[in-house]
Amino acid sequence: MSTSDSRSASGTTTSPEATTKLPAFEESETSPSTTSIGTGKGSAAKGASRSPKKTTGPAPTAEPERRGPRRVRLTLARLDPFSVMKLSFLVAIALGIATVVAVILTWNLVDAIGLWGKIDQLGRDLNSGDPLPFMEFFEFSKMVSYGTIVAVVNVVIITALGTLLAFLYNLVAALLGGLKMTFTDE
């Protein structure tokens, strides 16, 4: 860039490196005799950005035409694996709690309709009056323990799978460009 002033006395530019005036902006014309330091064209005294010329006339009466909702097309290029791991962990915790609650409710429902007693009676009838040995595995405390073990294993598996799928998505998105989505603003 040149440090010399390439403007002529009339205020027009002669250098091909000179900036052009944007059509939406107007600049005030000053005579060269009234120009002082800090008030020239492009100086920092006017500020870094220039606002368009304000009109003092009446406001336009016609409203701009409404075109409907805006549509934005975006690409999901990358998933942060740590964020996906945190989210999948929280989802897995919620599913684990739901699993334990479902086991408790199911056991209570089966007990309320008397199915455990009927199964035990059927086993005693088939085993000459002795209870079936595997019926002790269907006690309430053991069923809740089984549900809790399944929930903990599911938390570990779902968290690991979520994180692994985030890494795989990032690899595929790097090769193919990611998932393209369109959003509308209503």
Side-chain angles (χ1 to χ4, degrees):
M1 270 215 313
S2 164
T3 57
S4 66
D5 188 15
S6 62
R7 286 179 282 162
S8 65
S10 64
T12 60
T13 58
T14 58
S15 169
E17 297 174 346
T19 60
T20 59
K21 185 169 68 170
L22 296 175
F25 297 101
E26 293 186 20
E27 297 179 15
S28 64
E29 302 223 0
T30 58
S31 66
S33 62
T34 61
T35 304
S36 64
I37 296 177
T39 61
K41 186 177 189 180
S43 87
K46 290 186 178 180
S49 66
R50 298 181 185 177
S51 61
K53 184 178 181 183
K54 295 181 177 144
T55 59
T56 58
T61 57
E63 292 184 18
E65 184 178 323
R66 203 171 157 101
R67 298 182 185 158
R70 290 186 306 172
R71 298 179 67 149
V72 179
R73 192 170 158 89
L74 299 173
T75 302
L76 182 62
R78 185 176 183 280
L79 293 173
D80 182 31
F82 186 66
S83 295
V84 172
M85 182 186 73
K86 290 188 295 187
L87 183 65
S88 63
F89 177 73
L90 290 176
V91 168
I93 291 290
L95 288 175
I97 292 170
T99 300
V100 173
V101 170
V103 166
I104 291 170
L105 291 177
T106 304
W107 192 92
N108 284 328
L109 179 66
V110 170
D111 189 45
I113 62 174
L115 191 58
W116 295 129
K118 290 180 183 178
I119 292 174
D120 187 44
Q121 184 61 39
L122 180 64
R124 286 178 190 271
D125 291 342
L126 294 175
N127 199 18
S128 66
D130 293 331
L132 293 175
F134 65 86
M135 283 304 289
E136 66 187 32
F137 294 114
F138 295 105
E139 293 175 359
F140 178 75
S141 61
K142 290 189 179 182
M143 289 298 282
V144 172
S145 297
Y146 301 150
T148 305
I149 291 170
V150 167
V152 169
V153 170
N154 278 342
V155 166
V156 172
I157 290 173
I158 290 172
T159 304
L161 281 178
T163 309
L164 179 67
L165 288 176
F167 279 114
L168 290 176
Y169 178 82
N170 289 340
L171 287 174
V172 170
L175 294 173
L176 302 177
L179 185 66
K180 295 187 183 342
M181 296 175 283
T182 302
F183 294 95
T184 59
D185 181 20
E186 296 182 326

